[in-house]
Amino acid sequence: MRKTLFAANWKMYKTPAEALSFVQAFRPLVASQTRDEIVLCPSMLSLAPVLDAVKGSNISVGAQNMHSSDEGAFTGETSPIMLKAIGCTHVLIGHSERRQYFNETDDSVNLKLKSALAHGIVPIVCVGELLAERETGHTSEVLHRQVGNALAGIAPEHTAPIVIAYEPVWAIGTGKTATPELAADAHLTIRTTVAGILGRDIADKMRILYGGSVKPDNAASLLNQPEIDGALVGGASLDPASFAKIVNYTSF
Ligand code: PGA
């Protein structure tokens, strides 16, 4: 009942020309795909050309970040109005790299989430524990706090399109993937937390993606878990054939 969603997080990779050649190669590889929703998140500079290149296809385009304000004196930032104006439908919020290197906090995540919802942009909110937090048994507590703060003050009727991405920080770009069971367990914690805040019905409908070293050869075993509703893919989404293999995974 929850449509699988695959989002490519290209981070600070690919010039606009490289982004375009990706789309040219990738589009035919997923053209017949109706089971999944596909979102490409290129750099801000490549959003417009990628949006143009995916026109008429089953591929959507999202930003990797946005400011929470509609406009203002915020040098270097991009507003939800600007994203919306060019046709961007999704946005990543609170990726761990933004939390780690750009001082994003649970509070800024909450503001951005509210702003994305107000503008009708589907937020993909990233949460996940550090290695030290997992090793000291604090994973549930961290997820509970991050999800609770992200959703603070959000009315249940405004939550339909929220997507959460569980990305254990120790699994991002490291080649270490959470086992499917461990990921499913974290997803259950997140869903239970969402149910406590927004109600069981909304929690059951909310898609929770897994992210952290998802590759063509581990996608199926992760996606086979009923709790895992898709993936946020970094490294393996940079190559069209590799990302297409993930999107076209065979369920078992
Ligand atoms: P990875 O990145 O797939 O390269 O681990 C995932 C992410 O950061 O979203």
Side-chain angles (χ1 to χ4, degrees):
M1 101 183 158
R2 296 187 293 258
K3 190 167 175 117
T4 311
L5 191 160
F6 288 98
N9 175 11
W10 287 351
K11 310 192 179 187
M12 202 173 70
Y13 293 98
K14 294 193 190 296
T15 61
E18 288 165 346
L20 281 182
S21 41
F22 176 102
V23 177
Q24 267 161 18
F26 179 68
R27 219 179 130 148
L29 300 177
V30 297
S32 58
Q33 182 58 256
T34 52
R35 176 191 55 191
D36 311 328
E37 201 177 317
I38 307 164
V39 183
L40 300 178
C41 302
S43 79
M44 293 293 182
L45 207 56
S46 295
L47 283 173
V50 168
L51 273 157
D52 203 42
V54 301
K55 265 195 192 121
S57 76
N58 53 346
I59 303 167
S60 306
V61 178
Q64 296 174 17
N65 179 38
M66 63 170 218
H67 198 277
S68 55
S69 301
D70 289 0
E71 58 181 10
F74 299 112
T75 302
E77 291 291 312
T78 306
S79 85
I81 289 182
M82 296 167 185
L83 296 179
K84 191 85 185 171
I86 61 166
C88 215
T89 50
H90 295 70
V91 63
L92 302 182
I93 293 180
H95 188 280
S96 65
E97 285 151 15
R98 299 225 43 99
R99 293 178 191 253
Q100 189 179 352
Y101 305 124
F102 303 99
N103 304 320
E104 292 221 8
T105 62
D106 285 354
D107 288 344
S108 63
V109 167
N110 177 248
L111 286 177
K112 290 180 182 198
L113 175 55
K114 286 177 177 154
S115 171
L117 291 174
H119 290 283
I121 302 173
V122 178
I124 302 176
V125 183
C126 306
V127 297
E129 79 286 1
L130 304 169
L131 183 60
E133 291 166 337
R134 172 156 291 273
E135 285 178 344
T136 52
H138 290 95
T139 300
S140 299
E141 187 187 316
V142 169
L143 296 178
H144 196 72
R145 189 200 73 226
Q146 290 180 337
V147 172
N149 289 344
L151 298 177
I154 286 168
E157 61 269 24
H158 292 141
T159 56
I162 296 178
V163 178
I164 293 181
Y166 168 61
E167 298 206 306
V169 178
W170 47 269
I172 295 178
T174 57
K176 285 186 207 149
T177 321
T179 62
E181 294 74 23
L182 189 144
D185 198 49
H187 284 217
L188 197 61
T189 302
I190 292 170
R191 205 176 297 284
T192 308
T193 305
V194 173
I197 302 167
L198 300 170
R200 174 47 62 191
D201 195 41
I202 286 169
D204 283 343
K205 287 187 187 127
M206 194 173 282
R207 285 174 298 177
I208 305 177
L209 318 182
Y210 169 78
S213 299
V214 175
K215 309 283 177 211
D217 60 0
N218 62 22
S221 58
L222 287 159
L223 269 298
N224 194 41
Q225 295 283 340
E227 267 301 325
I228 301 183
D229 307 315
L232 179 55
V233 187
S237 75
L238 292 169
D239 173 68
S242 146
F243 190 48
K245 270 192 203 141
I246 294 174
V247 170
N248 295 324
Y249 78 98
T250 314
S251 57
F252 54 84

